[in-house]
Amino acid sequence: MHDGWKTIIEPFKIKTVEPLGFTTRPEREKALRDADYNLFAVPADKVLIDLLTDSGTSAMSAEQWAAMMRGDESYAGARSFYVLEKAVRDLTGLKNVMPVHQGRAAERVLFSVVGGPGRIVLSNSHFDTTRANVEASGAEAIDLPVPEALDFAAPGDFKGDIDLAALEAKLRGPDGRRVTMIVMTLTNNSLGGQPVSMGNLRATAEIAKHYKIPLFLDIARFAENAWFIKRREAGYATRPVREIVREMFSYADGCWMSSKKDAFVNIGGFLALNDEEWTAKAREILILGEGFTTYGGLAGRDLEALAVGLREVLDEHYLEYRIRSIEYLGDGLRKAGVPIVEPPGGHAVYLDAARLLPHIPPSGYPAQALACELYLTAGIRSVEIGSLMFGVRENGGFKPARMELVRLAIPRRVYTQSHVDFLIEVVADVAKRAKSIRPLRLLSASPRLAHFTAKLAPEAVA
Ligand code: F0G
């Protein structure tokens, strides 16, 4: 991108810094015990490198901070709302824009309107809060990823795609009439942060149109998805990302965004759609739970920062660096022989705990055990995406998840290459000692979104 040099640099310089949380091994052992082996319960100042999530953890730009000072805090019709509304309309072409405090609020509002008992939502993969909100409405959430998405070792350019044959079969089948919406998650966070191709999106839109089912996009990471299309899909290499994004949205009847990801904000989101009837109902629910329709639970300053972020993320220097930096982490881990979900995703590298810890069955939560070991070893916080998050525990039974992954999610514009080099060193060290990692036992978990509050303990040595 810059005059043909091989090294892709961080396309920013740093104005404000924060110290990292250095701890001793005994301090980490205590912190983990006190947290019942749930990394969500570990205080952040006891974390050295925090890869729990890329959500709300971005460094905002000077432009975003400056925009915050322009925030109009009027209760209704704030100038900042119109700034955001224009930014979202310019980006998506969708008409009715509702701010919300974050992605799951949009999901709750949306599925309160379109969900309900007897209804079905089909998706390449629902993110956990999406699934929970669909199910909380009484509807059923069905994932239809392409088969190769579940073969974590296999290469593939667009493993985030939806299985078009399975989608058609569902819509033609006996339950077809109950399908209320098709959701495409860009990128597919639950299965490795893998992108969806434009071809797949276009074909999904054609199917959706044929069966008269609205197609909505969950766009938390839409710009990262667009960069993969530019780099990997025939015909897009010379198209500006902005145009690629516009084409993506041309297939959608609506979308929602957790703007805590690709819009670099620490809080915020929105729901955007064209249908007037759904909009009217959504606005009612918005007022009931989030706030008036022009602020939706956010401050005026948040709306301003979000509007700037939506533009900034389309900077191709940034996107090239962003995707390359994740790939760099993937390269390092692969070289060290650590099994990862291939290829590295847009926002994270996912360690395959099922392959690394074959001695721990899903009921011993291998991915959670690995995440705990990374923390104990060097204060690295990651997140389990496996049977703790997606396993089903009902009536004393246990159905494991389809995957046992540890996600190393990289906050945007926060860590530098030396942090990543350190990370590679630590993960490689833990992987070498994988055989000695012990299973965990679940002490308590709530029926829904269990991973946030679950309590665990190491299994006693036999
Ligand atoms: N959709 C996707 C694809 C997500 O990744 C998330 C959040 C949401 C919706 C919900 O948004 O958190 O703003 O309410 N993902 C975070 C993560 C939590 O760590 O991946 P939210």
Side-chain angles (χ1 to χ4, degrees):
M1 182 132 302
H2 32 80
D3 304 329
W5 297 105
K6 276 209 308 285
T7 307
I8 293 166
I9 59 173
E10 285 90 355
F12 48 79
K13 51 187 180 170
I14 296 165
K15 191 186 298 250
T16 306
V17 297
E18 286 179 274
L20 298 180
F22 287 92
T23 49
T24 61
R25 169 99 194 185
E27 282 169 345
R28 292 193 293 280
E29 283 169 359
K30 179 172 184 317
L32 200 57
R33 267 198 316 274
D34 291 350
D36 294 299
Y37 293 80
N38 185 334
L39 295 166
F40 282 97
V42 173
D45 61 2
K46 296 204 162 40
V47 173
L48 185 68
I49 296 188
D50 204 344
L51 311 178
L52 185 70
T53 179
D54 63 322
S55 180
T57 52
S58 301
M60 289 214 298
S61 65
E63 278 307 310
Q64 286 182 294
W65 284 109
M68 287 188 90
M69 291 304 293
R70 287 195 296 272
D72 174 1
E73 305 301 344
S74 305
Y75 187 94
R79 187 185 60 245
S80 302
F81 168 73
Y82 298 106
V83 169
L84 175 68
E85 184 185 55
K86 182 170 183 327
V88 175
R89 284 181 176 168
D90 287 351
L91 183 78
T92 66
L94 296 161
K95 197 166 132 223
N96 302 320
V97 179
M98 282 163 259
V100 291
H101 81 275
Q102 61 182 74
R104 69 198 69 182
E107 291 163 356
R108 195 178 56 76
V109 169
L110 181 65
F111 294 111
S112 302
V113 175
V114 308
R119 299 206 164 131
I120 295 174
V121 180
L122 302 176
S123 176
N124 56 340
S125 288
H126 297 80
F127 182 65
D128 60 352
T129 58
T130 319
R131 168 173 293 278
N133 275 294
V134 169
E135 290 174 354
S137 81
E140 191 184 347
I142 300 180
D143 292 346
L144 303 171
V146 286
E148 63 265 31
L150 292 161
D151 181 355
F152 297 137
D157 284 343
F158 292 103
K159 289 168 81 177
D161 283 353
I162 196 167
D163 184 334
L164 295 167
L167 177 65
E168 279 239 64
K170 278 273 177 227
L171 291 169
R172 258 201 322 267
D175 291 338
R177 285 168 174 277
R178 299 202 284 128
V179 176
T180 179
M181 179 173 282
I182 300 169
V183 170
M184 290 292 263
T185 309
L186 313 174
T187 56
N188 187 346
N189 188 14
S190 303
L191 289 175
Q194 303 293 321
V196 175
S197 66
M198 194 72 90
N200 189 257
L201 205 51
R202 193 181 304 123
T204 304
E206 280 162 16
I207 294 170
K209 205 168 179 180
H210 178 79
Y211 289 91
K212 299 193 172 62
I213 312 280
L215 171 61
F216 272 56
L217 309 180
D218 173 352
I219 59 159
R221 301 175 181 87
F222 73 95
E224 291 170 1
N225 198 98
W227 184 258
F228 281 118
I229 289 175
K230 184 178 171 92
R231 276 300 155 94
R232 296 182 180 172
E233 196 161 349
Y236 289 94
T238 59
R239 299 262 302 270
V241 164
R242 180 168 278 286
E243 266 181 34
I244 296 174
V245 166
R246 206 162 286 150
E247 182 180 344
M248 284 159 55
F249 283 110
S250 72
Y251 302 123
D253 298 295
C255 72
W256 75 91
M257 182 182 197
S258 167
S259 306
K260 300 167 72 173
K261 283 82 169 173
D262 264 357
F264 308 108
V265 288
N266 304 121
I267 195 72
F270 60 85
L271 171 63
L273 68 166
N274 286 332
D275 187 275
E276 298 297 341
E277 207 181 306
W278 281 6
T279 300
K281 285 187 191 157
R283 286 196 171 129
E284 265 178 41
I285 297 165
L286 191 73
I287 293 172
L288 208 60
E290 284 284 293
F292 185 63
T293 56
T294 60
Y295 74 87
L298 293 173
R301 53 183 170 271
D302 299 325
L303 304 174
E304 295 276 351
L306 170 44
V308 173
L310 289 177
R311 281 195 303 273
E312 267 179 13
V313 76
L314 299 179
D315 172 10
E316 300 197 5
H317 289 290
Y318 163 74
L319 284 171
E320 178 179 48
Y321 139 78
R322 169 71 176 164
I323 300 303
R324 175 61 201 142
S325 65
I326 309 292
E327 205 176 61
Y328 177 86
L329 171 58
D331 289 348
L333 295 176
R334 200 183 295 121
K335 261 188 222 138
V338 180
I340 59 169
V341 174
E342 294 288 0
H347 67 296
V349 173
Y350 296 62
L351 311 179
D352 191 344
R355 273 189 288 157
L356 187 63
L357 309 172
H359 61 289
I360 304 184
S363 58
Y365 300 100
Q368 183 67 11
L370 177 59
C372 287
E373 187 59 29
L374 289 173
Y375 177 72
L376 279 178
T377 302
I380 287 163
R381 178 154 68 171
S382 53
V383 76
E384 190 253 23
I385 300 196
S387 289
L388 187 58
M389 188 181 273
F390 287 119
V392 181
R393 289 161 285 266
E394 263 170 3
N395 312 322
F398 170 70
K399 186 167 160 261
R402 292 184 293 190
M403 62 288 200
E404 302 295 342
L405 305 175
V406 171
R407 186 184 70 173
L408 306 172
I410 310 296
R412 292 170 183 77
R413 308 191 290 207
V414 170
Y415 294 114
T416 64
Q417 188 169 338
S418 70
H419 292 118
V420 175
D421 288 334
F422 172 76
L423 176 63
I424 293 167
E425 188 182 339
V426 172
V427 179
D429 173 70
V430 169
K432 266 195 229 124
R433 298 183 277 109
K435 279 201 187 87
S436 67
I437 297 176
R438 280 154 53 196
L440 292 170
R441 185 161 43 91
L442 190 65
L443 303 177
S444 71
S446 57
R448 226 177 248 148
L449 297 173
H451 54 288
F452 288 121
T453 53
K455 295 185 179 191
L456 303 102
E459 213 43 282
V461 187

